[in-house]
Amino acid sequence: MGLMNIMLFHSTFGLRPAVLQAADRLRSAGHEVWTPDLFEGRTFDAVEEGMEHKEKIGKEELLKRAVLAAAPYSERGLVYAGFSLGASIAQTLALGDDKARGLLLLHGTSDIAPGVTADELPVQLHVAEPDPFETDDWLSAWYLQMGRTGADVEVYRYAGAGHLYTDPDLPDYDAEAAEATWRVALGFLETLQTGS
């Protein structure tokens, strides 16, 4: 099996350097990576500004931009990945794409539409513990629902890390948790390519 084709979506902060660094890290492990800019060049330093911008664009339009970005490559069997908001977008796309090879969620999840199936889709979630945006109750419910879709889910929690702890330019950053996350995530991607 060849290496993975990864569609990596940014967070509410936009396509910041940390997203491009993450893509480079994945590329240096031999993967092909795309980082669509759903905010069309806008980046933000405060989560509130990013949220405001996201609301202005609207959920439907954001998803449409994401689908258009992924469409040219979906035949290859994509691994969908994303940070926070980007993770929720990645989840939506992966669950709607029967060719999806995997789903890597960093700091975020999304609602699961009723009746969705994802037979044996490998899913890995990395999230802070506690996380103000991903509460324990929510994550328990999410895990059960993902299980019902038929997805094969692994969850990794990082005690004491901030919400977006993999971004070195944000106050949330936690170097130890970030390194652990990348180590596990790269291992996950390797299992996908061996098809095990």
Side-chain angles (χ1 to χ4, degrees):
M1 303 289 270
L3 294 169
M4 295 291 109
N5 295 295
I6 303 169
M7 191 59 58
L8 181 65
F9 295 105
H10 61 73
S11 76
T12 314
F13 290 98
L15 190 56
R16 291 162 57 87
V19 181
L20 301 174
Q21 285 157 17
D24 286 342
R25 189 185 282 237
L26 294 167
R27 286 187 191 108
S28 62
H31 303 291
E32 181 94 47
V33 188
W34 294 274
T35 52
D37 186 350
L38 305 180
F39 284 0
E40 298 176 332
R42 298 285 303 276
T43 58
F44 302 94
D45 293 319
V47 71
E48 296 75 19
E49 292 168 7
M51 297 288 246
E52 206 173 289
H53 187 65
K54 178 192 91 168
E55 295 307 322
K56 221 177 280 177
I57 298 171
K59 197 175 173 182
E60 292 303 309
E61 175 60 24
L62 271 179
L63 274 176
K64 194 172 101 183
R65 290 178 187 181
V67 167
L68 287 172
Y73 311 104
S74 62
E75 281 302 308
R76 304 181 187 191
L78 289 169
V79 173
Y80 291 93
F83 297 94
S84 194
L85 165 69
S88 71
I89 289 170
Q91 179 187 306
T92 303
L93 265 60
L95 293 179
D97 178 357
D98 55 11
K99 287 193 178 67
R101 296 285 302 280
L103 175 59
L104 176 61
L105 302 169
L106 301 158
H107 326 294
T109 57
S110 180
D111 297 332
I112 299 161
V116 167
T117 57
D119 290 336
E120 292 176 4
L121 178 73
V123 179
Q124 195 176 80
L125 167 66
H126 295 268
V127 68
E129 181 175 24
D131 185 316
F133 299 100
E134 301 284 323
T135 63
D136 290 351
D137 287 355
W138 164 263
L139 285 172
S140 301
W142 175 85
Y143 183 81
L144 287 170
Q145 279 185 286
M146 279 302 264
R148 278 189 213 117
T149 69
D152 179 9
V153 187
E154 298 175 345
V155 179
Y156 293 84
R157 305 291 305 270
Y158 300 85
H163 171 63
L164 210 72
Y165 64 80
T166 55
D167 188 326
D169 301 322
L170 293 177
D172 282 353
Y173 183 57
D174 182 319
E176 207 177 312
E179 283 311 307
T181 295
W182 287 116
R183 205 166 44 244
V184 174
L186 288 166
F188 171 67
L189 293 167
E190 261 170 50
T191 66
L192 300 182
Q193 75 204 37
T194 56
S196 64

